[in-house]
């Protein structure tokens, strides 16, 4: 074989080698694009499926548009059978006609939609008008108003045979059971002062007497109320659950304090 022939053969070999590398790179790029497309499509399907399942399982008297967002790369999680973390958001939810906003994260969610999730935590936000509309605090007194750090309300009682009308400011804290809130009056002012009665800022049965209010009936049974922050314009409630059962009956069932 002449030197020219050998040189030509070597050149053809190098060209075939370069073509092979190019083909491999193109295949890798195509597979990468397909993987990205598959991830995007599956993510949309998974998010929408979760949101639809929640909307269809809301308790009676509850309605709203739900948005779900699974964290991380979805395909490996689908293969493993569980989603690590899913954000659940709804800012137009109504519960028995009361508007509220919910932002929550649910951990360790079964892909099959059966069984139960891992831990869940989040916040529920109600405006001042929504709190009044809900009537949650009606058992305390009428005309309850939010104020920074607590609530204010009016009431009446009898003291030493005299009808007393008063104004109360009170602190609000989550009950240890997680099923309600405890309202503790810390300042009482008599409003019909023309009677000339001085109660020293204290009225027996009112001042310092905690009032327990059940909130569990507004939430799915698995959820617990852990803290509450109040301003004059809104109440923000932190909720959590050790797990959330995924059966329709469980999701539709609200809690109780009995």
């Amino acid at each position: 074989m002449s030197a020219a022939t050998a040189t030509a053969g070597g050149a053809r070999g190098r060209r075939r080698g370069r073509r092979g590398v190019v083909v491999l790179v193109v295949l890798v790029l195509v597979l990468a694009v397909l993987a990205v497309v598959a991830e995007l499509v599956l993510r949309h399907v998974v998010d929408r499926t979760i949101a639809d399942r929640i909307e269809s399982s809301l308790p009676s008297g509850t309605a709203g548009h739900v948005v779900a967002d699974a964290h991380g790369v979805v395909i490996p999680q689908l293969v493993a059978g569980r989603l690590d973390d899913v954000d659940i958001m709804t800012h137009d939810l109504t519960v028995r006609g009361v508007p509220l906003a919910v932002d929550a994260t649910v951990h360790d969610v079964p892909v099959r939609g059966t069984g139960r999730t891992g831990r869940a935590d989040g916040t529920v936000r109600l405006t001042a008008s929504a709190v009044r509309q809900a009537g949650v605090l009606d058992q305390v007194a009428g005309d309850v108003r939010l104020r920074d750090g607590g609530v204010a309300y009016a009431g009446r009682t009898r003291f030493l045979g005299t009808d007393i009308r008063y104004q109360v400011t009170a602190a609000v804290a989550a009950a240890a059971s997680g099923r309600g809130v405890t309202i503790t009056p810390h300042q009482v002012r008599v409003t019909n002062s023309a009677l000339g009665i001085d109660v020293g800022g204290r009225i027996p049965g009112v001042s310092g007497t905690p009032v327990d209010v059940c909130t569990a009936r507004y939430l799915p049974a698995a959820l617990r109320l852990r803290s509450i922050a109040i301003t004059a314009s809104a109440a923000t409630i932190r909720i959590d659950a050790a797990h959330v059962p995924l059966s329709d009956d469980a999701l539709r069932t609200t809690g109780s304090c009995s």
Side-chain angles (χ1 to χ4, degrees):
M1 181 174 64
S2 67
T5 302
T7 300
R12 284 194 297 273
R14 288 193 294 272
R15 284 196 295 271
R16 283 196 298 269
R18 286 196 294 270
R19 283 198 297 271
V21 171
V22 171
V23 170
L24 179 60
V25 170
V26 170
L27 286 175
V28 170
L29 289 175
V30 169
L31 289 174
V33 170
L34 290 175
V36 170
V37 171
E39 170 69 19
L40 292 174
V41 171
L42 285 173
R43 173 177 292 279
H44 175 76
V45 171
V46 167
D47 290 349
R48 191 60 255 168
T49 299
I50 293 172
D52 288 345
R53 173 69 184 277
I54 294 172
E55 288 178 4
S56 66
S57 302
L58 290 172
S60 176
T62 303
H65 176 66
V66 175
V67 175
D69 181 20
H71 292 198
V73 180
V74 168
I75 293 176
Q77 297 179 65
L78 293 177
V79 172
R82 302 187 80 88
L83 300 173
D84 294 337
D85 303 292
V86 179
D87 288 337
I88 308 295
M89 297 154 283
T90 173
H91 294 163
D92 63 353
L93 194 69
T94 57
V95 179
R96 300 179 186 179
V98 179
L100 49 85
V102 178
D103 289 276
T105 300
V106 185
H107 309 277
D108 197 21
V109 180
V111 170
R112 296 178 62 184
T114 58
R116 63 185 191 179
T117 72
R119 189 170 185 80
D121 52 81
T123 59
V124 178
R125 185 178 186 276
L126 299 89
T127 64
S129 60
V131 172
R132 289 194 296 271
Q133 183 180 345
V136 177
L137 304 180
D138 284 354
Q139 70 186 71
V140 179
D143 190 29
V144 177
R145 295 177 292 105
L146 300 187
R147 59 187 299 275
D148 290 347
V151 296
Y153 57 89
R156 62 192 305 164
T157 188
R158 293 190 66 80
F159 181 63
L160 299 178
T162 303
D163 187 51
I164 301 293
R165 291 190 296 274
Y166 57 84
Q167 183 76 33
V168 174
T169 57
V172 182
S177 66
R179 299 178 183 273
V181 297
T182 299
I183 299 176
T184 305
H186 60 77
Q187 185 175 2
V188 180
R189 179 174 60 87
V190 174
T191 54
N192 54 340
S193 57
L195 293 174
I197 297 175
D198 181 10
V199 296
R202 296 188 60 82
I203 298 176
V206 177
S207 302
T209 302
V211 178
D212 294 324
V213 177
C214 179
T215 58
R217 62 193 180 99
Y218 294 92
L219 298 170
L223 295 181
R224 297 290 180 268
L225 188 156
R226 295 308 182 194
S227 67
I228 180 168
I230 297 178
T231 67
S233 60
T236 302
I237 301 165
R238 187 176 69 83
I239 56 173
D240 71 8
H243 63 268
V244 179
L246 295 180
S247 69
D248 288 344
D249 287 343
L251 292 173
R252 291 193 180 108
T253 302
T254 56
S256 70
C257 295
S258 59

